[in-house]
């Protein structure tokens, strides 16, 4: 992906669980809303459960960056009851580990919907400044 100065985007797994894409270059103490963070959840009043990246691995705006996500969807029993939360097993930004075994208890803010399910779509947010994505590859296990 490539973003311009001040741009903001996101990659949503299953349309519900967001890894933030943001111009975070040079920020010394990134938060969950910075590039590589697991975006916070929102209950209508406050945000909670966001997870900042382990380290700020963002490049300067205008440079191509690489994001690699190993994600495990939530699990459900035969009756449709969730028995395991979704997990970002590993997230690498520009080859640097920024999330490891990060569990999410439900959809993050701005998700496609708030209903967890065993499947969903890949969603790319693109309404907060210029952003481009290329060479998107997905593997299902």
């Amino acid at each position: 992906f490539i973003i311009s100065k001040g741009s903001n985007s996101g990659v949503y797994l299953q349309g519900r669980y967001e890894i933030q894409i943001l111009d975070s270059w040079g920020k010394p103490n990134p938060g969950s809303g910075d590039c590589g963070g697991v975006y916070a959840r929102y209950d209508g009043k406050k945000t909670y459960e966001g997870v900042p990246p382990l380290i700020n691995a963002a490049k300067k705006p205008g440079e191509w960056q690489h994001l690699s996500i190993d994600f495990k969807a939530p699990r459900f029993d035969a009756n449709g009851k969730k028995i395991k939360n979704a997990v970002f097993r590993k997230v690498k930004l520009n080859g640097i580990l920024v999330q490891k075994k990060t569990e999410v208890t439900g959809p993050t803010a701005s998700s496609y919907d708030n209903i967890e399910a065993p499947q969903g779509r890949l969603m790319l947010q693109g309404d907060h400044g210029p952003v481009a994505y290329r060479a998107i590859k997905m593997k299902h296990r």
Side-chain angles (χ1 to χ4, degrees):
F1 67 91
I2 189 170
I3 57 174
S4 60
K5 186 170 177 63
S7 283
N8 172 344
S9 183
V11 175
Y12 291 79
L13 285 295
Q14 293 191 303
R16 299 177 180 97
Y17 313 98
E18 181 184 8
I19 295 294
Q20 179 71 358
I21 303 294
L22 183 78
D23 168 18
S24 300
W25 183 70
K27 189 169 185 180
N29 298 306
S32 62
D34 283 300
C35 200
V38 174
Y39 205 66
R41 300 187 65 207
Y42 183 67
D43 68 4
K45 297 177 186 172
K46 66 180 184 321
T47 58
Y48 61 102
E49 290 185 0
V51 182
L54 297 169
I55 189 168
N56 186 350
K59 292 182 179 181
K60 289 191 274 188
E63 292 185 18
W64 281 101
Q65 303 192 55
H66 183 265
L67 183 66
S68 173
I69 301 171
D70 183 348
F71 175 79
K72 186 169 186 171
R75 299 292 188 241
F76 299 84
D77 67 16
N79 297 318
K81 180 183 174 195
K82 185 171 78 168
I83 55 174
K84 288 190 179 179
N85 289 325
V87 177
F88 286 99
R89 293 181 192 170
K90 285 184 188 174
V91 177
K92 290 184 177 182
L93 178 60
N94 300 315
I96 299 170
L97 186 68
V98 294
Q99 297 288 336
K100 183 176 182 181
K101 297 180 183 175
T102 305
E103 190 171 331
V104 287
T105 62
T108 56
S110 301
S111 61
Y112 175 74
D113 63 30
N114 236 2
I115 302 165
E116 291 187 284
Q119 297 179 350
R121 61 192 67 149
L122 176 67
M123 185 171 86
L124 304 174
Q125 183 185 51
D127 61 344
H128 303 307
V131 60
Y133 291 92
R134 71 176 181 190
I136 297 171
K137 298 176 186 176
M138 292 178 59
K139 293 182 194 176
H140 293 271
R141 299 190 235 182

